[in-house]
Amino acid sequence: MSTILFLAPRFPWPLIGGDRVKPYHLLRHLASHHRVILVAFNHGGPATAEQRRAIEDLGVEVHDVPLNPYAAALASARTLTTGLPLEIAFYTRPEFARIVDEILATTTVDLGISFFMRTAEYLRYRPMKKVLIAEDCRVEYQTRSSHAARSMHQKLVRWWETRKLRVYEPAIVHDFDVTTFVSPEDVMAMTNLEPGATYKVVTNGVDLETFSFRDNIDQREGLLFTGKLDVLANDLRAKMIISDILPDVRRRYPDTILTVAGAYPKSSLRAMASAYVRIEGQVPDIVPYLHGAAVYVHPHHGGSGIQNKVLEAMAAGCPVVTTPSGLQGIDAVDGVHALVATDAASISRNIITLLGDVDLRRRLAHNARQLMERTHTWEVVGRQLDDVLAPYGLDPNHTVTWHDQPSSSIVTE
């Protein structure tokens, strides 16, 4: 049995947000075959007994590091005098480094895994085998987000991060044996920045039991958008739907109601609630909303990676209208698994088409669910991770002592 040290920027419980959900499922998979030690930040204070128990029940040894957001924000000022981007400086804390040092000094660790580039600093210079689960190309993310930013402040922050990341990101991937991304598009973007490192795709999954399929298409009503609503991108998308898309839809279907459901909506978004716009904050379970909506609307522009909310909608049988970047990393075809548009006007037209065609909605819903079952289960993700680790002797069916790493290559499957 090999020993794996797994570092995460956010404690992987409760299962809210991709930076918790994916680490949880990766830890569950790894712990079924290996000894796994987790070191994770917990924002706001120590992990609760419930949080620790949820991860320890997987068979994982847990070390949590409280992260004070104010102290971390002050520490981000080091971006001015170092090569660290803001998002890396925020997570560079001596308490975390001390625990990693102690583990490596007292335990023979066969593999280190950094989940997100935010924990890469703690492993990058260690003389050990290590994997960086980067998820998305951060330069690509910040560049696209800068184009989508609406205020000068947002554009300035994005510009600064992009400037730092153009140096930092190509350098960090060379300090890991392999770096994984969620989509071939992210691999290509990173390859363009740095062609000399090793990259693989480990996609994201969706819990098909939790996000169960409900074939009630002819009983569904209204539009739906979901997400953590304090996240700037989600806040802007929700407001775009309300201001630029819903009015066009209601001219054709006047009784259409939009529900924006998730957590922590900003006061400016709450102020946009009306008889036809429902802002549902602190939603304990998003699945009933996905089972009740006629159309899931996701006007995604900018960013990189993969959209977990689209995976969830497709799994639950809620027909999706999105943009090309909203389907990045998902092998979905326009008109087969979802309807794809590029701007507010064409998104509105696609929504109107779906509201008037129950057979098309049913066909998209069934096709999308089948796609999720083939390509985005956590079992699929586990097999992809096994493929990443197998060349180093960590195949769960063939655990051996680590040997020299293979020569650098770029793998995009």
Side-chain angles (χ1 to χ4, degrees):
M1 176 181 292
S2 299
T3 299
I4 297 174
L5 175 61
F6 192 106
L7 310 184
R10 188 179 293 273
F11 199 89
W13 189 269
L15 298 182
I16 301 172
D19 55 355
R20 288 190 178 105
V21 173
K22 187 167 186 177
Y24 175 86
H25 287 282
L26 295 183
L27 288 166
R28 183 179 67 173
H29 178 77
L30 291 169
S32 66
H33 305 292
H34 309 286
R35 178 191 178 194
V36 181
I37 305 170
L38 169 68
V39 184
F41 282 113
N42 195 59
H43 292 232
T48 65
E50 178 189 4
Q51 286 179 296
R52 294 182 64 88
R53 186 165 55 251
I55 305 305
E56 289 172 346
D57 285 348
L58 302 177
V60 175
E61 179 183 326
V62 175
H63 300 266
D64 67 286
V65 180
L67 183 67
N68 183 314
Y70 301 106
L74 287 173
S76 297
R78 73 185 69 183
T79 186
L80 299 172
T81 57
T82 69
L84 298 179
L86 281 165
E87 65 178 284
I88 307 303
F90 185 91
Y91 287 95
T92 305
R93 309 297 298 151
E95 308 94 306
F96 199 100
R98 186 160 50 249
I99 291 177
V100 173
D101 287 341
E102 291 173 356
I103 292 170
L104 292 177
T106 59
T107 306
T108 300
V109 173
D110 300 290
L111 168 68
I113 296 179
S114 285
F115 186 83
F116 278 7
M117 205 163 56
R118 296 165 186 172
T119 63
E121 284 295 311
Y122 300 103
L123 290 182
R124 69 179 300 187
Y125 300 119
R126 308 283 185 174
M128 60 188 299
K129 300 300 181 182
K130 46 192 177 285
V131 172
L132 173 59
I133 301 179
E135 296 292 84
D136 62 350
C137 174
R138 300 305 291 170
V139 169
E140 183 77 0
Y141 171 83
Q142 294 292 355
T143 300
R144 290 184 180 181
S145 297
S146 178
H147 294 157
R150 296 188 177 185
S151 73
M152 186 54 65
H153 170 72
Q154 294 167 12
K155 288 183 179 295
L156 181 61
V157 171
R158 302 296 189 190
W159 170 81
W160 179 265
E161 281 293 88
T162 302
R163 176 175 173 269
K164 290 283 188 175
L165 284 164
R166 285 192 181 280
V167 177
Y168 183 86
E169 193 168 22
I172 196 80
V173 296
H174 277 290
D175 295 319
F176 286 78
D177 299 291
V178 60
T179 300
T180 72
F181 296 95
V182 293
S183 74
E185 292 86 350
D186 285 287
V187 169
M188 185 57 64
M190 194 65 232
T191 300
N192 291 335
L193 288 172
E194 180 46 66
T198 302
Y199 308 121
K200 279 199 172 187
V201 172
V202 176
T203 191
N204 278 8
V206 60
D207 187 330
L208 296 181
E209 183 175 346
T210 298
F211 293 91
S212 59
F213 183 82
R214 182 164 296 180
D215 191 3
N216 61 341
I217 298 300
D218 55 348
Q219 302 170 23
R220 295 164 173 256
E221 296 180 340
L223 315 181
L224 176 66
F225 176 78
T226 62
K228 290 180 64 179
L229 301 174
D230 58 339
V231 174
L232 177 61
N234 287 333
D235 179 69
L236 292 176
R237 287 170 195 145
K239 291 173 179 176
M240 175 189 176
I241 298 171
I242 295 169
S243 300
D244 303 338
I245 295 173
L246 184 62
D248 286 345
V249 175
R250 290 193 60 243
R251 274 191 281 274
R252 177 65 179 84
Y253 293 101
D255 294 331
T256 301
I257 293 175
L258 166 69
T259 300
V260 178
Y264 314 117
K266 298 181 178 182
S267 58
S268 57
L269 179 58
R270 286 188 179 276
M272 300 178 77
S274 69
Y276 298 99
V277 177
R278 296 173 179 167
I279 310 296
E280 303 281 357
Q282 311 308 316
V283 172
D285 184 0
I286 210 70
V287 175
Y289 292 87
L290 293 170
H291 285 162
V295 180
Y296 188 89
V297 187
H298 188 38
H300 184 267
H301 292 284
S304 54
I306 197 168
Q307 294 297 297
N308 293 320
K309 54 172 62 72
V310 173
L311 298 180
E312 293 165 357
M314 287 183 163
C318 190
V320 172
V321 173
T322 188
T323 60
S325 62
L327 292 179
Q328 179 170 294
I330 305 172
D331 291 331
V333 177
D334 181 23
V336 177
H337 307 98
L339 294 188
V340 181
T342 56
D343 55 28
S346 54
I347 290 172
S348 300
R349 289 195 294 271
N350 279 348
I351 294 170
I352 291 168
T353 296
L354 282 179
L355 291 178
D357 191 338
V358 68
D359 290 334
L360 176 58
R361 280 191 277 138
R362 180 175 288 109
R363 187 161 62 252
L364 294 181
H366 279 272
N367 290 342
R369 171 68 184 198
Q370 292 170 5
L371 180 66
M372 294 301 98
E373 292 172 352
R374 292 196 309 271
T375 61
H376 288 282
T377 67
W378 287 114
E379 289 72 22
V380 168
V381 175
R383 289 196 295 271
Q384 290 178 334
L385 182 62
D386 290 341
D387 288 342
V388 171
L389 303 185
Y392 308 105
L394 267 76
D395 186 318
N397 300 313
H398 181 60
T399 301
V400 299
T401 303
W402 272 58
H403 49 73
D404 292 338
Q405 68 184 75
S407 60
S408 294
S409 61
I410 298 171
V411 185
T412 59
E413 73 264 23

